[in-house]
Coordinates of all heavy atoms in Angstrom, one line a residue:
T1 N 64.9 -27.7 12.1 CA 64.3 -26.9 11.1 C 64.0 -25.5 11.7 O 63.9 -25.4 12.9 CB 63.0 -27.5 10.5 OG1 62.1 -27.5 11.5 CG2 63.3 -28.9 10.0
T2 N 63.8 -24.5 10.9 CA 63.4 -23.2 11.3 C 61.9 -23.1 11.4 O 61.4 -22.1 11.8 CB 64.0 -22.1 10.5 OG1 63.6 -22.3 9.1 CG2 65.6 -22.1 10.6
G3 N 61.2 -24.0 10.9 CA 59.7 -24.0 10.9 C 59.2 -23.1 9.7 O 59.9 -22.7 8.9
P4 N 57.9 -22.9 9.7 CA 57.3 -22.2 8.6 C 57.4 -20.7 8.7 O 57.6 -20.2 9.7 CB 55.8 -22.6 8.7 CG 55.6 -22.8 10.2 CD 56.9 -23.4 10.7
G5 N 57.3 -20.1 7.5 CA 57.2 -18.6 7.4 C 56.1 -18.3 6.6 O 55.9 -18.8 5.5
L6 N 55.2 -17.3 7.1 CA 54.1 -16.9 6.3 C 54.5 -16.1 5.1 O 55.3 -15.2 5.3 CB 53.1 -16.1 7.2 CG 51.8 -15.8 6.7 CD1 50.9 -17.0 6.4 CD2 51.0 -14.9 7.6
I7 N 54.0 -16.4 4.0 CA 54.3 -15.7 2.8 C 53.1 -14.7 2.5 O 53.4 -13.5 2.3 CB 54.5 -16.6 1.5 CG1 55.7 -17.5 1.8 CG2 54.7 -15.8 0.3 CD1 55.8 -18.6 0.8
S8 N 51.9 -15.2 2.5 CA 50.8 -14.3 2.3 C 49.5 -14.9 2.8 O 49.3 -16.1 3.0 CB 50.6 -14.0 0.8 OG 50.2 -15.1 0.1
L9 N 48.5 -14.0 3.1 CA 47.2 -14.4 3.6 C 46.3 -13.5 2.8 O 46.3 -12.3 3.0 CB 47.2 -14.1 5.1 CG 46.0 -14.5 5.9 CD1 45.8 -16.0 5.9 CD2 46.1 -14.0 7.3
A10 N 45.5 -14.0 1.9 CA 44.7 -13.2 1.0 C 43.4 -13.8 0.6 O 43.3 -15.1 0.5 CB 45.6 -12.9 -0.3
P11 N 42.4 -13.1 0.3 CA 42.3 -11.7 0.5 C 42.1 -11.3 2.0 O 41.6 -12.2 2.7 CB 41.1 -11.2 -0.3 CG 40.2 -12.4 -0.3 CD 41.1 -13.6 -0.3
N12 N 42.4 -10.2 2.4 CA 42.1 -9.7 3.8 C 41.7 -8.2 3.7 O 42.5 -7.4 3.4 CB 43.4 -9.8 4.6 CG 43.1 -9.5 6.1 OD1 41.9 -9.4 6.5 ND2 44.1 -9.4 6.9
P13 N 40.4 -8.0 3.9 CA 39.3 -8.9 4.4 C 38.9 -10.0 3.4 O 39.1 -9.8 2.2 CB 38.2 -8.0 4.8 CG 38.4 -6.8 3.9 CD 39.9 -6.7 3.7
F14 N 38.4 -11.1 3.9 CA 37.9 -12.2 3.0 C 36.4 -12.3 3.2 O 35.8 -12.0 4.2 CB 38.6 -13.5 3.3 CG 38.2 -14.2 4.6 CD1 37.4 -15.3 4.6 CD2 38.7 -13.7 5.8 CE1 37.1 -15.9 5.8 CE2 38.4 -14.3 7.0 CZ 37.5 -15.5 7.0
A15 N 35.7 -12.9 2.2 CA 34.3 -13.2 2.2 C 34.0 -14.7 2.1 O 33.1 -15.2 2.8 CB 33.6 -12.4 1.1
G16 N 34.8 -15.4 1.3 CA 34.6 -16.8 1.1 C 35.8 -17.6 1.3 O 36.2 -17.9 2.4
R17 N 36.6 -17.8 0.2 CA 37.8 -18.6 0.3 C 39.0 -17.8 0.7 O 39.2 -16.7 0.1 CB 38.0 -19.3 -1.0 CG 39.2 -20.3 -0.9 CD 39.2 -21.2 -2.1 NE 40.0 -20.5 -3.2 CZ 40.6 -21.1 -4.2 NH1 40.5 -22.4 -4.3 NH2 41.3 -20.5 -5.1
L18 N 39.8 -18.2 1.6 CA 41.0 -17.6 2.0 C 42.2 -18.4 1.6 O 42.2 -19.6 1.8 CB 41.0 -17.5 3.6 CG 42.2 -16.9 4.3 CD1 42.3 -15.4 3.9 CD2 42.0 -17.0 5.8
S19 N 43.1 -17.8 1.0 CA 44.4 -18.5 0.5 C 45.5 -18.1 1.5 O 45.8 -17.0 1.7 CB 44.7 -18.0 -0.9 OG 46.0 -18.5 -1.3
L20 N 46.1 -19.2 2.0 CA 47.2 -19.0 3.0 C 48.4 -19.6 2.4 O 48.4 -20.8 2.1 CB 46.8 -19.7 4.3 CG 47.8 -19.5 5.5 CD1 46.9 -19.4 6.7 CD2 48.7 -20.6 5.6
R21 N 49.5 -18.9 2.1 CA 50.7 -19.4 1.6 C 51.8 -19.3 2.6 O 51.9 -18.3 3.3 CB 51.1 -18.6 0.3 CG 50.2 -18.8 -0.8 CD 50.6 -18.1 -2.1 NE 52.0 -18.6 -2.5 CZ 53.0 -17.7 -2.9 NH1 52.8 -16.5 -2.9 NH2 54.1 -18.2 -3.2
Y22 N 52.5 -20.4 2.8 CA 53.6 -20.4 3.8 C 54.7 -21.3 3.3 O 54.6 -22.1 2.4 CB 53.1 -20.9 5.1 CG 52.5 -22.3 5.1 CD1 53.3 -23.4 5.3 CD2 51.2 -22.6 4.7 CE1 52.8 -24.7 5.3 CE2 50.7 -23.8 4.7 CZ 51.5 -24.9 4.9 OH 51.0 -26.2 4.9
R23 N 55.9 -21.0 3.8 CA 57.1 -21.7 3.4 C 57.6 -22.6 4.6 O 57.7 -22.1 5.7 CB 58.2 -20.7 3.1 CG 59.5 -21.4 2.7 CD 60.5 -20.4 2.1 NE 59.9 -19.9 0.8 CZ 59.9 -18.6 0.5 NH1 60.4 -17.7 1.3 NH2 59.4 -18.3 -0.7
A24 N 57.8 -23.9 4.3 CA 58.3 -24.8 5.3 C 59.8 -25.1 5.0 O 60.2 -25.2 3.9 CB 57.5 -26.1 5.3
A25 N 60.6 -25.1 6.1 CA 62.0 -25.4 5.9 C 62.3 -26.9 5.5 O 63.2 -27.2 4.9 CB 62.7 -25.1 7.3
S26 N 61.3 -27.8 5.9 CA 61.5 -29.2 5.6 C 60.1 -29.8 5.6 O 59.1 -29.1 6.0 CB 62.4 -29.9 6.6 OG 61.8 -29.8 7.9
A27 N 60.0 -31.0 5.2 CA 58.7 -31.7 5.2 C 58.3 -31.8 6.7 O 59.1 -32.3 7.5 CB 58.8 -33.1 4.6
E28 N 57.1 -31.4 7.0 CA 56.7 -31.4 8.4 C 55.1 -31.3 8.5 O 54.5 -30.9 7.6 CB 57.3 -30.3 9.2 CG 57.0 -28.9 8.7 CD 57.8 -27.8 9.3 OE1 58.5 -28.0 10.3 OE2 57.9 -26.7 8.7
K29 N 54.6 -31.7 9.7 CA 53.2 -31.6 10.0 C 52.9 -30.2 10.4 O 53.6 -29.7 11.3 CB 52.7 -32.6 11.0 CG 53.0 -34.1 10.7 CD 52.0 -34.5 9.6 CE 52.1 -36.0 9.4 NZ 51.4 -36.4 8.2
V30 N 51.9 -29.6 9.9 CA 51.5 -28.2 10.2 C 50.0 -28.2 10.7 O 49.2 -28.8 10.0 CB 51.8 -27.3 9.0 CG1 51.3 -25.9 9.4 CG2 53.2 -27.3 8.6
S31 N 49.8 -27.5 11.7 CA 48.4 -27.3 12.2 C 48.0 -25.8 11.9 O 48.7 -24.9 12.1 CB 48.3 -27.5 13.7 OG 47.1 -27.0 14.2
I32 N 46.8 -25.7 11.2 CA 46.3 -24.4 10.9 C 44.9 -24.2 11.5 O 44.1 -25.0 11.4 CB 46.2 -24.2 9.3 CG1 47.5 -24.4 8.7 CG2 45.6 -22.9 9.0 CD1 47.5 -24.6 7.2
E33 N 44.8 -23.1 12.3 CA 43.5 -22.9 13.0 C 43.0 -21.5 12.7 O 43.8 -20.5 12.6 CB 43.8 -23.0 14.5 CG 44.2 -24.3 15.0 CD 44.6 -24.3 16.5 OE1 45.0 -23.3 17.0 OE2 44.4 -25.4 17.1
L34 N 41.7 -21.4 12.6 CA 41.0 -20.1 12.4 C 40.3 -19.9 13.8 O 39.5 -20.7 14.2 CB 40.1 -20.1 11.3 CG 39.4 -18.8 10.9 CD1 40.5 -17.7 10.5 CD2 38.4 -18.9 9.8
I35 N 40.6 -18.8 14.4 CA 40.1 -18.5 15.8 C 39.3 -17.2 15.8 O 39.7 -16.2 15.2 CB 41.3 -18.4 16.7 CG1 42.2 -19.7 16.6 CG2 40.9 -18.1 18.2 CD1 43.6 -19.5 17.1
D36 N 38.1 -17.3 16.5 CA 37.3 -16.0 16.6 C 37.9 -15.2 17.7 O 38.8 -15.6 18.4 CB 35.8 -16.3 16.6 CG 35.4 -17.0 17.9 OD1 36.2 -17.1 18.9 OD2 34.3 -17.5 18.0
V37 N 37.3 -14.0 17.9 CA 37.8 -13.0 18.9 C 37.6 -13.5 20.3 O 38.3 -13.0 21.2 CB 37.2 -11.6 18.7 CG1 37.7 -10.9 17.5 CG2 35.7 -11.6 18.7
S38 N 36.7 -14.5 20.5 CA 36.5 -15.0 21.9 C 37.5 -16.1 22.2 O 37.6 -16.6 23.3 CB 35.1 -15.5 22.1 OG 34.9 -16.7 21.3
G39 N 38.4 -16.5 21.2 CA 39.4 -17.5 21.4 C 38.9 -18.9 21.0 O 39.7 -19.8 21.2
R40 N 37.8 -19.0 20.4 CA 37.2 -20.3 20.0 C 37.8 -20.7 18.7 O 37.7 -19.9 17.7 CB 35.7 -20.2 20.0 CG 35.0 -21.5 19.7 CD 33.5 -21.4 19.9 NE 33.0 -20.4 19.0 CZ 32.3 -20.7 17.8 NH1 32.2 -21.9 17.4 NH2 31.9 -19.7 17.1
V41 N 38.3 -21.9 18.5 CA 38.7 -22.4 17.2 C 37.5 -22.8 16.4 O 36.7 -23.7 16.8 CB 39.7 -23.6 17.4 CG1 40.1 -24.2 16.1 CG2 40.9 -23.3 18.2
V42 N 37.3 -22.1 15.3 CA 36.1 -22.3 14.4 C 36.5 -23.2 13.2 O 35.6 -23.7 12.6 CB 35.5 -21.0 14.0 CG1 34.9 -20.3 15.2 CG2 36.5 -20.1 13.3
K43 N 37.7 -23.3 12.9 CA 38.2 -24.1 11.8 C 39.6 -24.7 12.2 O 40.4 -23.9 12.7 CB 38.3 -23.4 10.5 CG 37.1 -22.9 9.8 CD 36.6 -23.8 8.8 CE 35.4 -23.2 8.1 NZ 34.9 -24.1 7.1
K44 N 39.8 -25.9 11.8 CA 41.1 -26.5 12.1 C 41.5 -27.5 11.0 O 40.6 -28.2 10.6 CB 41.1 -27.2 13.5 CG 42.5 -27.7 13.8 CD 42.5 -28.2 15.3 CE 44.0 -28.7 15.6 NZ 44.1 -29.0 17.0
A45 N 42.7 -27.5 10.6 CA 43.2 -28.4 9.6 C 44.6 -28.8 10.0 O 45.4 -28.0 10.4 CB 43.2 -27.8 8.2
N46 N 44.9 -30.1 9.8 CA 46.3 -30.6 10.0 C 46.8 -31.0 8.6 O 46.1 -31.9 8.0 CB 46.3 -31.8 11.0 CG 46.0 -31.3 12.4 OD1 46.6 -30.4 12.9 ND2 45.0 -31.9 13.0
V47 N 47.8 -30.4 8.2 CA 48.3 -30.7 6.8 C 49.8 -31.2 6.9 O 50.5 -30.9 7.8 CB 48.2 -29.5 5.9 CG1 46.7 -29.1 5.8 CG2 49.0 -28.3 6.5
S48 N 50.2 -31.8 5.8 CA 51.6 -32.2 5.7 C 52.2 -31.3 4.7 O 51.9 -31.2 3.5 CB 51.7 -33.7 5.1 OG 51.2 -34.6 6.1
A49 N 53.2 -30.5 5.2 CA 53.8 -29.5 4.3 C 55.0 -30.2 3.7 O 55.7 -31.1 4.3 CB 54.3 -28.3 5.2
T50 N 55.4 -29.7 2.5 CA 56.6 -30.1 1.9 C 57.6 -29.0 2.0 O 57.2 -27.9 2.3 CB 56.4 -30.4 0.4 OG1 55.9 -29.2 -0.2 CG2 55.4 -31.5 0.1
A51 N 58.9 -29.3 1.9 CA 59.9 -28.3 2.0 C 59.7 -27.3 0.9 O 59.4 -27.7 -0.3 CB 61.3 -28.9 1.9
G52 N 59.7 -26.0 1.2 CA 59.5 -25.0 0.2 C 58.1 -24.3 0.4 O 57.5 -24.4 1.5
D53 N 57.6 -23.8 -0.7 CA 56.3 -23.1 -0.6 C 55.1 -24.0 -0.6 O 55.1 -25.0 -1.4 CB 56.2 -22.1 -1.8 CG 57.2 -21.0 -1.7 OD1 57.9 -20.9 -0.7 OD2 57.3 -20.2 -2.7
N54 N 54.1 -23.7 0.2 CA 52.9 -24.5 0.3 C 51.7 -23.5 0.3 O 51.8 -22.4 0.8 CB 52.8 -25.3 1.6 CG 53.9 -26.3 1.7 OD1 53.7 -27.5 1.4 ND2 55.1 -26.0 2.1
T55 N 50.5 -24.0 -0.3 CA 49.3 -23.2 -0.2 C 48.2 -24.0 0.4 O 48.0 -25.2 0.0 CB 48.9 -22.8 -1.7 OG1 50.0 -22.0 -2.3 CG2 47.7 -21.9 -1.7
F56 N 47.5 -23.4 1.3 CA 46.3 -24.0 1.9 C 45.1 -23.1 1.7 O 45.2 -21.9 1.8 CB 46.6 -24.2 3.4 CG 45.4 -24.7 4.2 CD1 45.1 -26.0 4.1 CD2 44.7 -23.9 5.0 CE1 44.0 -26.5 4.8 CE2 43.6 -24.4 5.7 CZ 43.2 -25.7 5.6
Y57 N 44.0 -23.7 1.4 CA 42.7 -22.9 1.1 C 41.8 -23.2 2.3 O 41.5 -24.3 2.6 CB 42.1 -23.2 -0.2 CG 43.0 -22.9 -1.4 CD1 43.7 -23.8 -2.0 CD2 43.1 -21.5 -1.8 CE1 44.6 -23.5 -3.1 CE2 44.0 -21.2 -2.8 CZ 44.7 -22.2 -3.5 OH 45.5 -21.9 -4.5
L58 N 41.2 -22.1 2.8 CA 40.2 -22.3 3.9 C 38.9 -21.6 3.4 O 38.9 -20.5 3.0 CB 40.7 -21.5 5.1 CG 39.9 -21.6 6.3 CD1 39.8 -23.0 6.9 CD2 40.4 -20.6 7.4
Q59 N 37.8 -22.4 3.5 CA 36.5 -21.9 3.1 C 35.8 -21.3 4.4 O 35.7 -22.0 5.4 CB 35.6 -23.0 2.5 CG 34.3 -22.6 2.0 CD 34.4 -21.5 0.9 OE1 34.1 -20.4 1.2 NE2 34.9 -21.9 -0.2
G60 N 35.5 -20.0 4.3 CA 34.9 -19.4 5.4 C 33.6 -18.6 5.2 O 33.2 -17.8 5.9
S61 N 33.0 -19.0 4.0 CA 31.8 -18.2 3.7 C 30.6 -18.4 4.7 O 29.8 -17.5 4.8 CB 31.3 -18.7 2.3 OG 31.1 -20.1 2.3
E62 N 30.6 -19.5 5.5 CA 29.5 -19.7 6.4 C 29.8 -19.0 7.8 O 28.9 -18.9 8.6 CB 29.4 -21.2 6.7 CG 30.4 -21.8 7.6 CD 31.8 -22.0 7.0 OE1 32.0 -21.7 5.8 OE2 32.6 -22.5 7.7
L63 N 31.0 -18.4 7.9 CA 31.3 -17.7 9.2 C 30.7 -16.3 9.3 O 30.6 -15.7 8.3 CB 32.8 -17.6 9.3 CG 33.6 -18.9 9.4 CD1 35.1 -18.7 9.3 CD2 33.2 -19.7 10.7
P64 N 30.3 -15.9 10.5 CA 29.8 -14.5 10.6 C 30.9 -13.5 10.4 O 32.1 -13.8 10.6 CB 29.3 -14.5 12.1 CG 29.9 -15.7 12.8 CD 30.3 -16.7 11.7
S65 N 30.5 -12.3 10.0 CA 31.5 -11.2 9.8 C 32.2 -10.9 11.1 O 31.6 -11.1 12.2 CB 30.8 -10.0 9.3 OG 30.2 -10.2 8.0
G66 N 33.4 -10.5 11.0 CA 34.1 -10.1 12.2 C 35.6 -10.3 12.1 O 36.2 -10.6 11.0
I67 N 36.3 -10.2 13.2 CA 37.8 -10.3 13.3 C 38.1 -11.8 13.7 O 37.5 -12.4 14.6 CB 38.4 -9.4 14.4 CG1 38.0 -7.9 14.0 CG2 39.9 -9.6 14.5 CD1 38.6 -7.4 12.7
Y68 N 39.1 -12.3 13.0 CA 39.6 -13.7 13.2 C 41.1 -13.7 13.3 O 41.7 -12.7 12.8 CB 39.1 -14.6 12.1 CG 37.6 -14.9 12.1 CD1 36.7 -14.0 11.5 CD2 37.1 -15.9 12.9 CE1 35.4 -14.2 11.5 CE2 35.7 -16.1 12.9 CZ 34.9 -15.3 12.2 OH 33.5 -15.5 12.2
F69 N 41.6 -14.7 13.8 CA 43.1 -14.9 13.8 C 43.4 -16.3 13.1 O 42.7 -17.2 13.4 CB 43.6 -14.9 15.2 CG 43.4 -13.6 15.9 CD1 42.3 -13.3 16.6 CD2 44.3 -12.6 15.8 CE1 42.0 -12.1 17.2 CE2 44.1 -11.3 16.4 CZ 43.0 -11.1 17.1
V70 N 44.4 -16.3 12.3 CA 44.9 -17.6 11.8 C 46.2 -17.9 12.6 O 47.1 -17.1 12.7 CB 45.3 -17.4 10.3 CG1 46.0 -18.7 9.8 CG2 44.0 -17.3 9.5
R71 N 46.2 -19.1 13.1 CA 47.4 -19.6 13.8 C 48.0 -20.8 13.1 O 47.3 -21.8 12.9 CB 47.0 -20.0 15.3 CG 48.2 -20.4 16.1 CD 47.9 -20.4 17.6 NE 46.7 -21.2 17.9 CZ 46.0 -20.9 19.0 NH1 46.3 -20.0 19.8 NH2 44.9 -21.7 19.2
I72 N 49.2 -20.7 12.8 CA 50.0 -21.8 12.1 C 51.0 -22.3 13.1 O 51.8 -21.6 13.7 CB 50.7 -21.3 10.9 CG1 49.7 -20.6 9.9 CG2 51.5 -22.4 10.2 CD1 50.4 -19.7 8.9
K73 N 50.9 -23.6 13.4 CA 51.9 -24.3 14.3 C 52.6 -25.4 13.6 O 52.0 -26.2 13.0 CB 51.1 -24.9 15.5 CG 50.5 -23.8 16.4 CD 50.0 -24.4 17.7 CE 48.6 -24.9 17.6 NZ 48.0 -25.3 18.9
A74 N 53.9 -25.4 13.7 CA 54.8 -26.4 13.2 C 55.9 -26.6 14.2 O 56.8 -25.7 14.3 CB 55.3 -26.1 11.8
G75 N 55.9 -27.7 14.9 CA 56.9 -27.9 15.9 C 56.8 -26.9 17.0 O 55.7 -26.7 17.5
S76 N 57.8 -26.2 17.4 CA 57.8 -25.2 18.4 C 57.5 -23.8 17.8 O 57.4 -22.8 18.6 CB 59.1 -25.1 19.2 OG 60.2 -24.8 18.3
V77 N 57.3 -23.7 16.5 CA 57.1 -22.4 15.9 C 55.6 -22.1 15.8 O 54.8 -23.0 15.4 CB 57.7 -22.3 14.5 CG1 57.4 -21.0 13.8 CG2 59.2 -22.5 14.5
V78 N 55.1 -20.9 16.2 CA 53.7 -20.5 16.2 C 53.7 -19.2 15.5 O 54.3 -18.2 15.9 CB 53.1 -20.5 17.6 CG1 51.6 -20.0 17.4 CG2 53.1 -21.8 18.3
I79 N 52.9 -19.1 14.5 CA 52.7 -17.8 13.8 C 51.2 -17.4 13.9 O 50.4 -18.3 13.6 CB 53.1 -17.9 12.3 CG1 54.6 -18.2 12.1 CG2 52.8 -16.6 11.5 CD1 55.0 -18.7 10.7
T80 N 50.9 -16.2 14.3 CA 49.5 -15.8 14.4 C 49.3 -14.5 13.6 O 50.1 -13.6 13.7 CB 49.1 -15.5 15.8 OG1 49.3 -16.7 16.6 CG2 47.6 -15.2 15.9
E81 N 48.3 -14.5 12.7 CA 48.0 -13.3 11.9 C 46.5 -12.9 12.1 O 45.6 -13.8 12.1 CB 48.3 -13.5 10.4 CG 49.7 -13.7 10.1 CD 50.5 -12.4 10.2 OE1 49.9 -11.3 9.9 OE2 51.7 -12.4 10.5
K82 N 46.2 -11.6 12.1 CA 44.8 -11.1 12.2 C 44.2 -10.9 10.9 O 44.9 -10.5 9.9 CB 44.9 -9.8 13.0 CG 43.6 -9.2 13.3 CD 43.8 -7.9 14.1 CE 42.5 -7.1 14.3 NZ 42.8 -5.9 15.0
L83 N 42.9 -11.2 10.7 CA 42.2 -10.9 9.5 C 40.8 -10.6 9.8 O 40.3 -10.8 10.9 CB 42.4 -12.1 8.5 CG 41.8 -13.4 8.9 CD1 41.2 -14.1 7.6 CD2 42.9 -14.3 9.4
R84 N 40.1 -10.1 8.8 CA 38.7 -9.7 8.9 C 37.8 -10.4 7.9 O 38.2 -10.5 6.7 CB 38.6 -8.2 8.7 CG 37.2 -7.7 9.0 CD 37.2 -6.1 9.1 NE 37.7 -5.5 8.0 CZ 36.9 -5.1 6.9 NH1 35.6 -5.3 6.9 NH2 37.5 -4.4 5.9
K85 N 36.7 -10.9 8.4 CA 35.7 -11.6 7.5 C 34.6 -10.6 7.2 O 34.1 -9.9 8.1 CB 35.1 -12.8 8.3 CG 33.8 -13.4 7.7 CD 34.1 -14.1 6.4 CE 32.9 -14.9 5.9 NZ 31.7 -14.3 5.7
E86 N 34.3 -10.4 5.9 CA 33.3 -9.4 5.5 C 31.9 -10.1 5.6 O 31.8 -11.2 5.5 CB 33.5 -8.9 4.1 CG 34.7 -8.1 4.0 CD 34.9 -7.5 2.6 OE1 34.5 -8.2 1.6 OE2 35.4 -6.4 2.4

């Protein structure tokens, strides 16, 4: 498989719920992590993706404001995107 491809990460900046849309080449296990600027994983989810488009929601209202990174891992593919929490 070619692994996942990020479609959208919205809203950015976010205050509460973050919507992460990604496309998987096939059914696969995907790890999604929210990481703060010090490199600490503050949220983590392991999901089962289906082939095609998938949507994952992350609740971040309790997190302090600042810069975060979302890391998506599926097999050997790793995608990292920067975002800001208001």
